[in-house]
Amino acid sequence: MSAYKLVYFPIRGRIEPIRLLLVDNDLPYEDVNCSAGWPDSWKPKLAFGQVPQLIDGDFELVQSNTMLRYLGRKHDLYGGDVKEGARIDMINDGVEDYRLAYVKLIYQNYDAGKEEFIAGLPAKFQYLEKLLKASSGAIIKGKKTYADYNLFDLLDIHLLLAPSCLDSFPTLKAFHDEIANRPNIKKYRSTDEWKKLPVNGNGKQ
Ligand code: 0HH
């Protein structure tokens, strides 16, 4: 199988959940840095003028959540039936809502809004805690799903912002720990290269 190509800036940002999915499932990929020549050489070629972009042979996709679902369908990370698939999508859509709020804080209101944002996290995380607790700590009990990587990354970036934010959420904390300790993911996240990779494009985290 030829390697997927992931076109993005050299940051974690919106592509990190996709990288984690590929790493955990032994799927080869290469990062393509779009910084050089951005925007003129890139924007006209991108379906919505934005990255990330996934290239699978002659097939090109943008929209990070579409890319996750594509890989989920291709690599059996989409549950076993339509109801499981819908639950995975539902949780992934919830993750997207929380990611949008995070992105808004990071890029538009970091200094003035950080304290209030952190104070509001328990009100959000209680829902995710309840959802996972009802399913033995997983999105789908006993199965890997594409949304695992998006939820993991969401928790991970919030832990950087507020290291104690999962202290009252044991199910979410165990979910995060389990994925962080999977051998491929642990190895990937232990390199100096990964540790130096900015989380966001403006240096805030
Ligand atoms: N809904 C889309 C998705 O989920 C949103 C994509 C998006 O916002 O895929 N793309 C942004 C880049 S992510 C984009 O293409 C934000 C990171 C910005 C970091 C830039 C600087 C990095 C320097 C090292 N934005 C460019 C644009 O819209 O022109």
Side-chain angles (χ1 to χ4, degrees):
M1 186 183 147
S2 63
Y4 291 107
K5 288 195 173 86
L6 303 180
V7 181
Y8 201 56
F9 298 103
I11 62 171
R12 285 166 59 177
R14 278 192 170 272
I15 211 151
E16 192 62 12
I18 295 156
R19 291 194 187 114
L20 292 167
L21 181 156
L22 297 172
V23 165
D24 191 36
N25 293 284
D26 288 313
L27 298 165
Y29 73 94
E30 87 188 60
D31 282 307
V32 178
N33 182 352
C34 66
S35 299
W38 184 270
D40 296 352
S41 312
W42 289 99
K43 269 179 106 65
K45 296 190 289 195
L46 294 158
F48 288 97
Q50 290 192 313
V51 287
Q53 183 191 46
L54 171 75
I55 303 178
D56 180 9
D58 59 2
F59 185 59
E60 297 181 354
L61 265 187
V62 296
Q63 294 295 350
S64 55
N65 289 296
T66 301
M67 291 157 59
L68 281 169
R69 289 191 294 269
Y70 173 72
L71 294 169
R73 287 188 189 96
K74 258 190 91 165
H75 298 292
D76 194 19
L77 298 165
Y78 219 135
D81 58 31
V82 288
K83 287 185 180 162
E84 286 189 354
R87 177 180 161 84
I88 296 165
D89 286 343
M90 177 183 78
I91 293 176
N92 197 62
D93 284 354
V95 169
E96 173 63 15
D97 287 349
Y98 293 162
R99 184 179 295 279
L100 284 172
Y102 169 87
V103 166
K104 197 170 166 197
L105 172 80
I106 292 288
Y107 288 101
Q108 294 174 17
N109 195 28
Y110 189 82
D111 295 322
K114 184 176 169 184
E115 203 177 315
E116 190 184 343
F117 183 91
I118 291 172
L121 289 179
K124 295 178 177 175
F125 286 166
Q126 62 167 329
Y127 294 107
L128 291 169
E129 174 78 10
K130 199 170 155 195
L131 278 161
L132 262 62
K133 203 171 170 187
S135 189
S136 303
I139 291 180
I140 300 293
K141 186 179 172 185
K143 288 184 185 142
K144 287 186 189 180
T145 82
Y146 80 81
D148 295 349
Y149 306 99
N150 206 13
L151 176 56
F152 170 81
D153 182 66
L154 182 88
L155 298 176
D156 204 54
I157 57 181
H158 282 81
L159 281 167
L160 285 173
L161 183 74
S164 58
C165 71
L166 296 186
D167 288 0
S168 309
F169 301 106
T171 313
L172 293 179
K173 185 156 192 333
F175 174 87
H176 178 272
D177 287 349
E178 190 272 315
I179 293 185
N181 284 306
R182 288 183 191 168
N184 286 1
I185 290 185
K186 197 169 179 179
K187 188 172 165 208
Y188 163 72
R189 285 162 48 98
S190 69
T191 62
D192 287 343
E193 193 188 352
W194 184 83
K195 285 179 189 162
K196 278 191 239 144
L197 200 60
V199 178
N200 298 298
N202 62 356
K204 298 192 193 307
Q205 63 180 53

